[in-house]
Amino acid sequence: PVEEKKLIIGFSQCVSNDAWRQAMHEEMYRELSFYPNLELVIKDAKGESETQIEDIRDFQKMGVDLLIVSPNESEPITGIVEEVFRSGTPVIVIDRKIVSSQYSAYIGGDNYEIGQTVGQYIKTTYPEHIDILEIWGLRGSSPAIDRHQGLKRALEGTSFAFKYQLEGEWERDVAKQKFREFLSVNPDASFDLIFCHNDVMAISAGEVCQEFGIEHAIIIGIDALPGPRAGLQAVNDGILDATFFYPTGGDKAIEIAWRILSNESFDKENLLQTAAVDVSNVRIMKQQTDRIINQQANISRQNEMIASQIKVYQSQRGLLIVFGITLCIA
Ligand code: FRU
């Protein structure tokens, strides 16, 4: 049974240099503290699908007990994930998808639904015939495709139009550079709303607007992370007009990993909820998330204290045993 043996979870993360992925890792570690015999090893593919394939191969060689993977791009990562799954190692896919159903469980927001929710929000908040400039996440990654498709679907039959589309690849700097280039080459471009596939690109689009003296544009992002310089704060400060929650699912992934490894029942598809955040609710959302962050910090502190007390207890127990043996011999 699971209690007796250390079990290794290999997590192949597509990229990790942003706050959203860091939040995912923190959630995972926090959840892991409930399962002392689970161990997590994270490999960061730094946004390269080739590297991610190698990372997954390394995990295969290590003989991990379970693989979690957040695929950089759907197509290139599908084959290796299928291979691992078919070899009998359970696989949890998180956030970004592969193009196959050969995995044990999926956890993540429903990105198509998020796109649709953005569309509903736009339809009810703004007058028709506004022109949209869209800044995409990485084209080959499923959230970018699904967010676009969902929004497109929601705007069908209206006069809202996707006028311009830029490649931001999920990255603040790429989005910034592409948007700057675009505005330099098209000084007469006219758009009313900038929809970015995530908040970091939306915030950098806001900075570029300032540089170019564009004041009127509505800016919408996705993620709604708490913390300084993240989405919630940006809505609060009026830098973004709206953002949409995109939970990382880190804690849920560990919980499901545990269920799989303990032969307990679990759902294959685990879709997490979204919600719009704008000026009407950002303060209450911030209050709630700040409270959760405080509570989580307390839990982490308590865990550290428990761990250090266990250490003290173990070393004292060791001393007592030595002392007992010495007494017996004497
Ligand atoms: C973080 C991120 C998020 C986005 C998600 C999509 O790396 O770019 O901002 O919502 O990945 O996979």
Side-chain angles (χ1 to χ4, degrees):
V2 179
E3 289 83 37
E4 288 157 14
K5 198 176 135 235
K6 260 273 183 236
L7 294 169
I8 312 283
I9 301 174
F11 175 27
S12 167
Q13 177 65 291
C14 51
V15 62
S16 73
N17 61 351
D18 62 77
W20 190 85
R21 302 271 158 197
Q22 291 305 323
M24 182 192 271
H25 296 175
E26 278 163 28
E27 278 176 32
M28 287 180 160
Y29 283 117
R30 217 168 15 244
E31 185 69 19
L32 274 168
S33 64
F34 296 115
Y35 313 107
N37 46 330
L38 289 188
E39 197 177 310
L40 182 68
V41 182
I42 303 179
K43 284 182 186 281
D44 170 13
K46 302 198 165 67
E48 297 293 335
S49 298
E50 285 297 311
T51 310
Q52 186 159 38
I53 294 170
E54 280 167 32
D55 288 348
I56 297 176
R57 284 211 189 292
D58 286 347
F59 280 138
Q60 250 183 330
K61 279 187 214 132
M62 275 170 64
V64 294
D65 297 286
L66 183 142
L67 174 74
I68 303 180
V69 54
S70 186
N72 186 48
E73 295 167 291
S74 303
E75 297 269 356
I77 305 303
T78 298
I80 181 77
V81 169
E82 285 183 329
E83 201 182 304
V84 174
F85 179 70
R86 280 203 295 260
S87 76
T89 305
V91 181
I92 297 177
V93 178
I94 186 167
D95 155 48
R96 302 184 186 174
K97 293 184 168 173
I98 54 169
V99 288
S100 152
S101 55
Q102 292 201 29
Y103 53 82
S104 315
Y106 169 78
I107 295 146
D110 183 336
N111 285 295
Y112 185 80
E113 195 203 298
I114 291 178
Q116 282 194 313
T117 312
V118 174
Q120 291 304 335
Y121 178 84
I122 292 177
K123 283 200 282 192
T124 51
T125 314
Y126 304 111
E128 278 208 28
H129 61 251
I130 66 171
D131 290 323
I132 299 173
L133 181 147
E134 184 178 23
I135 304 188
W136 276 69
L138 193 62
R139 283 273 171 175
S141 67
S142 63
I145 299 161
D146 293 348
R147 288 172 191 183
H148 171 79
Q149 292 296 348
L151 175 59
K152 196 170 140 208
R153 180 70 221 274
L155 298 183
E156 256 164 33
T158 69
S159 57
F160 293 98
F162 288 103
K163 197 165 174 193
Y164 308 105
Q165 308 206 9
L166 307 181
E167 307 303 321
E169 299 175 11
W170 300 121
E171 300 282 340
R172 166 181 304 152
D173 295 343
V174 178
K176 205 170 206 173
Q177 188 203 336
K178 291 285 166 65
F179 192 26
R180 270 192 194 130
E181 274 169 24
F182 169 81
L183 290 173
S184 311
V185 176
N186 305 281
D188 300 328
S190 104
F191 48 86
D192 311 287
L193 186 148
I194 304 170
F195 169 54
C196 298
H197 287 187
N198 71 7
D199 286 342
V200 291
M201 298 193 295
I203 293 167
S204 70
E207 289 164 8
V208 175
C209 283
Q210 273 198 341
E211 281 171 29
F212 282 75
I214 298 169
E215 279 166 14
H216 62 274
I218 301 154
I219 307 179
I220 294 182
I222 292 175
D223 280 343
L225 268 191
R229 294 193 304 277
L232 285 186
Q233 189 63 47
V235 172
N236 191 62
D237 297 347
I239 295 166
L240 300 187
D241 291 273
T243 179
F244 292 76
F245 272 108
Y246 185 55
T248 73
D251 49 353
K252 186 86 186 159
I254 297 301
E255 186 206 317
I256 293 190
W258 169 257
R259 289 185 157 276
I260 294 176
L261 291 168
S262 314
N263 288 322
E264 282 188 30
S265 65
F266 61 93
D267 291 326
K268 180 162 180 184
E269 300 300 326
N270 302 272
L271 295 179
L272 308 171
Q273 297 296 312
T274 189
V277 183
D278 67 5
V279 69
S280 70
N281 63 354
V282 68
R283 290 193 44 187
I284 182 82
M285 293 290 193
K286 256 175 65 61
Q287 266 173 26
Q288 295 296 334
T289 50
D290 287 349
R291 253 187 55 198
I292 295 172
I293 289 175
N294 273 336
Q295 284 169 350
Q296 286 168 343
N298 286 342
I299 295 173
S300 302
R301 272 216 317 274
Q302 275 168 3
N303 283 339
E304 278 162 24
M305 275 169 61
I306 292 170
S308 80
Q309 274 165 3
I310 289 176
K311 256 198 196 143
V312 171
Y313 165 76
Q314 280 168 343
S315 66
Q316 283 176 348
R317 211 176 72 141
L319 274 179
L320 276 178
I321 292 170
V322 173
F323 185 59
I325 294 171
T326 322
L327 270 185
C328 280
I329 296 171

